[in-house]
Amino acid sequence: MKSHTIVLLACGSFNPITNMHLRLFELAKDYFDETGKYKVIKGIISPVSDAYKKKGLISADHRVTMAKLATKNSDWVEVDDWESSQSEWVETVKVLRYSSVKS
């Protein structure tokens, strides 16, 4: 059976990032890999920009830094700061389009 490669993407505030955010990537990867139909090749964490204006939102720079520290030892989960650097809130579909072109 041929397997398809996939990339997991999580958009959100990550205010702050937690162990459970990272665990969800592991659970999703295990699930897809166990089907035999898919091979997860990368996980991407995409924190929202400050323009999201959620009450109590830590600055995007700090959230990105925390996420990068949390994933520094991962060989497959990384942080993309494109969404967090936008001057306005970005719909998830636009992040997906950006990520698919980049990957």
Side-chain angles (χ1 to χ4, degrees):
M1 177 186 333
K2 183 179 177 185
S3 66
H4 302 278
T5 57
I6 60 174
V7 174
L8 302 175
L9 171 67
C11 298
S13 59
F14 302 101
N15 191 46
I17 192 164
T18 66
N19 287 332
M20 194 52 162
H21 289 120
L22 302 175
R23 183 73 183 120
L24 289 171
F25 274 99
E26 296 293 338
L27 291 169
K29 182 179 187 298
D30 290 347
Y31 170 80
F32 284 114
D33 288 350
E34 287 173 8
T35 68
K37 297 178 183 178
Y38 305 99
K39 177 166 177 45
V40 175
I41 59 170
K42 186 190 301 186
I44 301 171
I45 294 172
S46 181
V48 297
S49 74
D50 293 335
Y52 187 59
K53 298 189 184 201
K54 178 180 176 181
K55 184 177 180 179
L57 191 65
I58 301 166
S59 77
D61 288 341
H62 290 315
R63 289 181 286 111
V64 167
T65 298
M66 286 187 287
K68 286 182 177 180
L69 287 169
T71 59
K72 73 178 180 179
N73 294 324
S74 177
D75 60 352
W76 71 280
V77 179
E78 62 186 48
V79 179
D80 189 318
D81 64 358
W82 177 81
E83 181 182 4
S84 67
S85 68
Q86 301 306 298
S87 60
E88 58 186 33
W89 174 77
V90 179
E91 295 173 326
T92 301
V93 69
K94 292 179 182 175
V95 178
L96 283 167
R97 287 184 190 131
Y98 168 81
S99 296
S100 66
V101 169
K102 186 179 171 202
S103 294

